[in-house]
């Protein structure tokens, strides 16, 4: 177990904390020079250093494979830039936009689809002028019903800055829903302070928090308590998970995570197929593997705990559900694999 007392931000710090061996240091320094590294104390403490395939380490500790490019990978794998009319805005769907005020995260995931944009060497946070232009874009388009605040991770912003952002969105009458995408309640639970909760509660609009977690171990007692502070304040929570090889790519592990979400009063929302981000092939499954996992979950897991398996189509074409199909040639398949005529034949 690591004894890290602060966020680890380079390969040398990982070695000093016992998360990697000194022999791995040169190779991982090269990775860290290319892609941002940050592992919070909460996540460092979860790493089982005796397990070379530890699912927490696979998410946050850099690997030499990240410098290996594979066919089809792209710096902007889901086409954010194609749908970015002004800095900090992505408008892919008619009734909602992404607002990205920051490109800083509490942790940097090794599979991140925005890995070319986030971190110290990535895009800068929005300037006051850019933020004004983003708010003006939203205000000028009455079809925008929901604003999804992402980044980066918006919960790295101070409660004061979050409050200012919420006040600006509160003033836009046609915006009815504000959704925050974050890892912070799991990776830095202490950051979910009374002040942060109060900042979210100041809005009269519907406020949702989407928590990204990929393994049940991430939902520690401290993480569950952080989520309880949000839910008890009336803030609805949903989940986001990425299907990752060696992390959660089997029915038992994924079911444990989804049950942990529901126990924490978080509704499972999306299971994302891994995006074609550079250097992430070692963490991606196939669609067929994902469909097989979802089929197994359908037969064994409460409907309340079922996420929607989606693929963000490369090139900016949006998300599509890619779960298994149970209908074919006038028949429907039940969770046990048996086929039944539908409509049923007359007796």
């Amino acid at each position: 177990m690591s004894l890290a007392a602060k966020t680890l931000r380079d390969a040398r710090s990982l070695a000093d904390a016992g998360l990697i061996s000194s022999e791995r240091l040169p190779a991982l320094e090269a990775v860290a020079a290319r892609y941002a590294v940050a592992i919070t104390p909460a996540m460092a403490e979860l790493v089982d250093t005796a397990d070379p395939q530890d699912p927490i380490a696979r998410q946050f500790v850099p690997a030499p494979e990240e410098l290996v490019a594979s066919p089809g990978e792209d710096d902007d794998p889901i086409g954010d830039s194609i749908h970015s009319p002004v800095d900090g805005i992505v408008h892919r769907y008619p009734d909602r936009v992404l607002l990205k005020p920051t490109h800083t995260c509490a942790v940097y995931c090794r599979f991140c689809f925005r890995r070319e944009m986030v971190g110290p060497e990535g895009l800068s946070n929005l300037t006051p002028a850019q933020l004004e232009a983003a708010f003006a874009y939203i205000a000028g388009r009455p079809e925008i019903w929901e604003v999804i605040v992402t980044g980066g991770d918006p919960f790295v912003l101070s409660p004061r800055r979050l409050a200012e952002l919420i006040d600006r969105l509160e003033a836009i009458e046609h915006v009815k829903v504000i959704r925050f995408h974050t890892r912070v309640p799991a990776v830095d639970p202490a950051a979910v302070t009374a002040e942060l909760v109060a900042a979210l509660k100041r809005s009269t609009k519907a406020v949702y928090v989407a928590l990204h977690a990929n393994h049940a171990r991430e939902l520690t007692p401290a993480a569950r308590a952080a989520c309880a502070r949000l839910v008890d304040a009336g803030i609805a929570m949903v989940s986001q998970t990425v299907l990752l090889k060696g992390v959660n790519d089997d029915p038992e592990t994924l079911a444990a995570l989804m049950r942990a979400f529901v126990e924490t009063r978080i509704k499972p929302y999306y299971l994302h197929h891994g995006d074609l981000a550079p250097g992430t092939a070692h963490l991606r499954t196939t669609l067929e593997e994902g469909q097989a996992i979802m089929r197994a979950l359908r037969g064994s897991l409460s409907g309340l705990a079922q996420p929607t398996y989606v693929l963000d189509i490369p090139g900016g074409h949006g998300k599509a559900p890619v779960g298994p199909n149970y209908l074919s040639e006038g028949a429907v398949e039940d969770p046990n694999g048996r086929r039944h005529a539908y409509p049923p034949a007359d007796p």
Side-chain angles (χ1 to χ4, degrees):
M1 300 290 286
S2 166
L3 299 178
K6 61 182 180 179
T7 296
L8 307 172
R9 299 189 181 277
D10 54 50
R12 170 55 66 184
S13 297
L14 300 184
D16 291 344
L19 297 186
I20 64 171
S21 65
S22 57
E23 291 78 14
R24 298 178 65 197
L25 188 56
L28 299 191
E29 283 180 329
V31 179
R34 179 72 181 84
Y35 297 116
V37 172
I39 306 177
T40 58
M43 290 299 98
E45 289 294 332
L46 283 183
V47 173
D48 180 358
T49 55
D51 180 1
Q53 299 300 320
D54 178 69
I56 307 301
R58 281 181 68 81
Q59 294 184 64
F60 303 118
V61 175
E65 293 90 341
E66 294 179 49
L67 298 181
V68 178
S70 297
E73 293 181 341
D74 190 272
D75 289 356
D76 184 12
I78 67 169
D80 274 357
S81 60
I82 299 169
H83 298 283
S84 185
V86 298
D87 290 332
I89 292 285
V90 178
H91 195 176
R92 182 179 285 109
Y93 305 102
D95 72 338
R96 56 205 182 275
V97 297
L98 303 184
L99 172 61
K100 301 189 290 181
T102 180
H103 289 90
T104 301
C105 296
V107 293
Y108 292 109
C109 305
R110 309 324 304 168
F111 51 88
C112 179
F113 67 93
R114 293 194 179 115
R115 64 191 328 211
E116 301 288 347
M117 307 174 194
V118 300
E121 305 302 320
L123 299 177
S124 300
N125 293 347
L126 293 189
T127 66
Q130 289 171 327
L131 201 52
E132 285 298 322
F135 287 130
Y137 180 89
I138 296 167
R141 286 155 181 82
E143 69 272 20
I144 296 174
W145 170 80
E146 180 183 22
V147 175
I148 301 163
V149 188
T150 181
D153 191 320
F155 277 17
V156 304
L157 300 175
S158 68
R160 177 186 61 80
R161 290 189 64 193
L162 281 175
E164 291 171 353
L165 185 152
I166 289 170
D167 286 347
R168 294 299 302 273
L169 295 175
E170 178 78 12
I172 302 174
E173 196 277 335
H174 57 263
V175 172
K176 303 298 184 184
V177 179
I178 306 171
R179 189 196 328 168
F180 292 88
H181 283 195
T182 182
R183 258 191 176 281
V184 164
V187 303
D188 189 10
V192 182
T193 61
E195 291 76 17
L196 185 148
V197 174
L200 301 180
K201 280 291 293 177
R202 67 193 291 119
S203 178
T204 63
K205 302 180 187 294
V207 175
Y208 284 74
V209 170
L211 175 66
H212 176 178
N214 299 314
H215 195 278
R217 278 169 49 199
E218 295 171 57
L219 293 174
T220 62
R224 294 184 187 219
C227 293
R229 292 194 286 275
L230 294 166
V231 176
D232 289 347
I235 297 163
M237 293 190 71
V238 297
S239 77
Q240 290 202 109
T241 294
V242 180
L243 184 61
L244 297 167
K245 185 181 295 185
V247 174
N248 56 23
D249 60 332
D250 64 85
E252 294 75 20
T253 300
L254 205 57
L257 172 61
M258 296 304 147
R259 290 189 176 111
F261 280 136
V262 174
E263 292 163 8
T264 311
R265 295 178 289 170
I266 298 170
K267 176 65 183 79
Y269 179 37
Y270 276 151
L271 173 65
H272 294 272
H273 188 73
D275 294 308
L276 295 171
T280 61
H282 61 293
L283 292 170
R284 283 198 302 274
T285 67
T286 66
L287 282 169
E288 291 77 15
E289 288 168 334
Q291 289 174 329
I293 292 169
M294 290 303 299
R295 185 177 287 274
L297 292 185
R298 176 57 60 185
S300 62
L301 188 64
S302 165
L304 194 61
Q306 298 278 346
T308 299
Y309 182 35
V310 294
L311 170 70
D312 221 321
I313 302 170
H317 302 290
K319 296 181 184 68
V322 290
N325 182 23
Y326 297 88
L327 285 173
S328 64
E329 300 177 358
V332 60
E333 186 176 317
D334 67 27
N336 296 311
R338 295 185 294 262
R339 290 168 55 81
H340 308 270
Y342 190 87
D346 292 335

